[in-house]
């Protein structure tokens, strides 16, 4: 599996940034929606998977995109923007 659910947990990312002394979180969010970056006939993909792509994966991808669902489970990116708090000198 190439989607790492532990890393894609925004709460875990926020906790990691908060451990940095004097950090101030400016923005955090999941970005974009789920997409498949490979096709059923690409090298390394089992040839019998094409029905899964056609009837399950692609329709699910279109549904998630249309609904604009961004989450730990569907988004390819998570972002946290932080800076050192004003006045901290460490």
């Amino acid at each position: 599996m190439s989607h790492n659910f532990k890393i894609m947990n925004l709460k875990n990312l926020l906790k990691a940034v908060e451990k940095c002394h004097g950090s101030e979180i400016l923005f955090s969010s999941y970005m974009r929606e789920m997409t498949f970056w490979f096709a059923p006939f690409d090298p390394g993909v089992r040839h019998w998977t094409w029905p899964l792509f056609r009837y399950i994966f692609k329709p699910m991808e279109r549904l998630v995109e249309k609904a604009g669902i961004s989450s730990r489970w569907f988004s390819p990116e998570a972002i946290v923007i932080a800076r050192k708090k004003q006045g901290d000198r460490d």
Side-chain angles (χ1 to χ4, degrees), residues 42-66:
D42 285 351
V45 178
R46 293 182 179 99
H47 71 282
W48 56 265
T49 62
W50 73 266
L52 296 174
F53 277 86
R54 183 171 184 179
Y55 299 110
I56 296 174
F57 299 152
K58 284 301 184 180
M60 188 170 70
E61 181 182 67
R62 286 190 295 274
L63 177 67
V64 168
E65 182 180 7
K66 187 174 183 178

Side-chain angles (χ1 to χ4, degrees), residues 10-11 15 29-30 34-35 37 39 41-42 46 48 51 55 58 64 68 75 79 90:
L10 196 54
K11 289 179 186 177
K15 285 179 189 177
S29 181
Y30 293 104
M34 169 183 83
T35 66
W37 58 92
F41 299 107
D42 285 351
R46 293 182 179 99
W48 56 265
Y55 299 110
K58 284 301 184 180
V64 168
S75 299
I79 186 169
D90 289 4

Side-chain angles (χ1 to χ4, degrees), residues 6-43:
K6 184 176 180 182
I7 296 296
M8 286 301 295
N9 186 332
L10 196 54
K11 289 179 186 177
N12 288 345
L13 291 171
L14 290 169
K15 285 179 189 177
V17 171
E18 288 168 351
K19 287 181 182 179
C20 298
H21 177 70
S23 65
E24 175 184 15
I25 296 171
L26 303 175
F27 176 80
S28 65
S29 181
Y30 293 104
M31 307 297 284
R32 299 182 31 224
E33 296 84 24
M34 169 183 83
T35 66
F36 289 96
W37 58 92
F38 54 90
F41 299 107
D42 285 351

